[in-house]
Amino acid sequence: MLAAEGRQRDALSGSGRLLLLYAALYGGYGALSPFLPAFLETRGLGPSEIGTLLSAGMLVRLAAGPLAGRLADRFGAVRAFLAAGLALSASLTLAFLGGHGFPVLLAVALAQAAANAPLAPLADTVALAGSRDGAAYGRIRAAGSAAFIATTVLTGTLVGLFGHGVGPLACGLLFAAGAALTPRLPSAPADPGGDAGGGFASLAADARFRRLLLAAALVIGAHAMHDAFAVIVWQAAGIAPRTAGLLWAEAVAAEVAVFLWLGPRLIARFGPERALVLAALAGALRWAVQAQTSWLPALAGIQALHGLTFALLHLACLRLIVAIVPEHRRATALTVYGTFGLGLASALMTLLSGSLYEQFGTNGFWVMTAASLAAVPVARGLSRIR
């Protein structure tokens, strides 16, 4: 009886630490990412230099993320890699405060991007450790989304009072708190066979993983035009910046609600494959409406679909990864998924979105609708592969 109660207390304590880790990690993202371009401008960088720095960091992440995940699996040290990555990211983020001029800030940004690249997938690996279905993940991830909203709002207020150095400072401190917390997180059960090799090759040979990656890339990539141009479209339609901010906040609130409550219930009822199909169809509807109108009630309606087009998709993908990838290769799978299924797809579609918006205006959203619809047969095919 006492032993059982002790294990229950340990489980609750571990869950609480995971919630704090996600709050620190995504709170750090919220404190830095929206305000970094403006901070770089205060350090003397022009628009082209800022664009070069941010895009170079993105390229570094594409290589660093999967490599770090593979090494974490290879040495069976996911928590150690996560703690080291958080500590290094904290130091390098704070180093922005001492940097001036393009060469120095570029060097700091590239190093910070390499350290930062695997953090979210490694945190997901720890959160899913020992899980057979990932059912508890939504509650933990919802804490991260809520922290992102809170720190973005708070940092924006503090930037107005104290200047743009607040962003790197807050992010660095939050990452440092996460690094201190990580060694006390629950550890994954040791794999008796180890992972001598074949991580990337095994994933590439798995037809279900390939389909999962393609479906995620199509649905998440279709968000690119909205992320880049939605506020511009809304303001051109006479929607005030404050209202645009509320629309954006509504989308993130819907994301939290799906992570916390609706998403796990939909997946339990329909299964992850059908949940992926639902996310793709929701994306097609969302972008089709955005292509046709900027009527405020319609926009308010489709912003709520973000909970399905992002949060439900992410929950379904993680549930599938838990089911089809052995635990001793999960960090590799999650970093590949995060890098190529989410990051690279968004980057490529963002590049395409610029040309689409320039040539076709809001009609370019029809391409995003087509991308979402293309994910439907890909996701449906998952259930036919064993």
Side-chain angles (χ1 to χ4, degrees), residues 15 51 62 155 164 183 264 310 363:
S15 178
L62 294 178
T155 302
H164 286 283
F310 172 69
N363 284 326

Side-chain angles (χ1 to χ4, degrees), residues 33 69 75 158 207 218 220 225 307 350:
S33 56
F75 294 104
L158 294 176
L218 288 167
I220 293 298
M225 193 165 186
T350 300

Side-chain angles (χ1 to χ4, degrees), residues 81 115 130 135 297 319 364 376:
F81 272 74
R319 189 71 65 91
V376 171

Side-chain angles (χ1 to χ4, degrees), residues 208 211 273 376-386:
R208 295 190 77 194
R211 275 185 172 265
E273 295 91 349
V376 171
V378 177
R380 290 184 64 186
L382 279 165
S383 60
R384 295 194 294 269
I385 302 173
R386 290 291 180 266

Side-chain angles (χ1 to χ4, degrees), residues 2-63:
L2 292 176
E5 290 177 354
R7 285 193 296 271
Q8 186 176 17
R9 283 195 300 270
D10 289 343
L12 292 172
S13 177
S15 178
R17 292 181 189 129
L18 281 168
L19 288 172
L20 290 174
L21 171 67
Y22 273 72
L25 177 61
Y26 285 91
Y29 292 152
L32 183 65
S33 56
F35 308 103
L36 182 58
F39 169 80
L40 296 172
E41 187 178 38
T42 66
R43 295 305 169 105
L45 271 62
S48 63
E49 291 175 323
I50 293 172
T52 299
L53 183 148
L54 295 176
S55 60
M58 188 179 298
L59 292 174
V60 167
R61 289 187 188 93
L62 294 178

Side-chain angles (χ1 to χ4, degrees), residues 70 73 195-199 202-203 325-334:
R70 183 71 192 105
D73 278 338
D195 186 19
S202 297
L203 292 175
V325 178
E327 189 156 15
H328 61 279
R329 289 179 180 155
R330 204 168 284 168
T332 307
L334 287 168

Side-chain angles (χ1 to χ4, degrees), residues 13-385:
S13 177
S15 178
R17 292 181 189 129
L18 281 168
L19 288 172
L20 290 174
L21 171 67
Y22 273 72
L25 177 61
Y26 285 91
Y29 292 152
L32 183 65
S33 56
F35 308 103
L36 182 58
F39 169 80
L40 296 172
E41 187 178 38
T42 66
R43 295 305 169 105
L45 271 62
S48 63
E49 291 175 323
I50 293 172
T52 299
L53 183 148
L54 295 176
S55 60
M58 188 179 298
L59 292 174
V60 167
R61 289 187 188 93
L62 294 178
L67 177 60
R70 183 71 192 105
L71 291 174
D73 278 338
R74 178 68 179 83
F75 294 104
V78 174
R79 282 191 309 169
F81 272 74
L82 177 58
L86 281 164
L88 187 56
S89 293
S91 300
L92 291 166
T93 302
L94 292 172
F96 276 122
L97 297 171
H100 292 273
F102 180 68
V104 172
L105 289 169
L106 177 62
V108 172
L110 294 180
Q112 197 261 5
N116 189 40
L119 296 185
L122 291 179
D124 286 348
T125 306
V126 173
L128 294 168
S131 173
R132 294 184 178 182
D133 59 6
Y137 174 82
R139 179 168 56 90
I140 296 167
R141 182 60 176 79
S145 296
F148 186 97
I149 299 171
T151 55
T152 299
V153 172
L154 179 60
T155 302
T157 302
L158 294 176
V159 163
L161 295 173
F162 302 108
H164 286 283
V166 170
L169 177 62
C171 178
L173 294 177
L174 286 166
F175 280 176
L181 183 66
T182 299
R184 303 183 63 196
L185 295 174
S187 58
D191 177 71
D195 186 19
F200 292 127
S202 297
L203 292 175
D206 191 317
R208 295 190 77 194
F209 186 79
R210 295 198 307 269
R211 275 185 172 265
L212 178 156
L213 206 63
L214 178 57
L218 288 167
V219 176
I220 293 298
H223 288 70
M225 193 165 186
H226 170 272
D227 294 347
F229 296 105
V231 173
I232 295 174
V233 171
W234 298 342
Q235 291 183 350
I239 295 173
R242 177 180 175 83
T243 304
L246 290 173
L247 287 170
W248 205 275
E250 179 198 350
V252 183
E255 172 186 317
V256 173
V258 172
F259 274 132
L260 192 61
W261 181 79
L262 182 60
R265 285 161 175 79
L266 288 173
I267 292 174
R269 182 174 180 83
F270 299 112
E273 295 91 349
R274 290 179 179 175
L276 274 178
V277 172
L278 178 58
L281 292 174
L285 173 62
R286 185 181 181 186
W287 312 131
V289 173
Q290 181 71 81
Q292 297 178 81
T293 182
S294 292
W295 184 45
L296 186 57
L299 295 178
I302 62 172
Q303 284 298 94
L305 292 175
H306 183 74
L308 301 179
T309 60
F310 172 69
L312 181 63
L313 173 121
H314 189 55
L315 287 175
C317 286
L318 291 197
R319 189 71 65 91
L320 286 165
I321 288 172
V322 167
I324 66 180
V325 178
E327 189 156 15
H328 61 279
R329 289 179 180 155
R330 204 168 284 168
T332 307
L334 287 168
T335 48
V336 169
Y337 160 73
T339 299
F340 296 102
L342 306 184
L344 180 60
S346 296
L348 294 177
M349 290 294 274
T350 300
L351 289 175
L352 175 63
S353 295
S355 298
L356 288 174
Y357 186 72
E358 185 177 23
Q359 295 183 48
F360 305 110
T362 57
N363 284 326
F365 279 101
W366 287 113
V367 177
M368 304 299 116
T369 300
S372 296
L373 287 174
V376 171
V378 177
R380 290 184 64 186
L382 279 165
S383 60
R384 295 194 294 269
I385 302 173

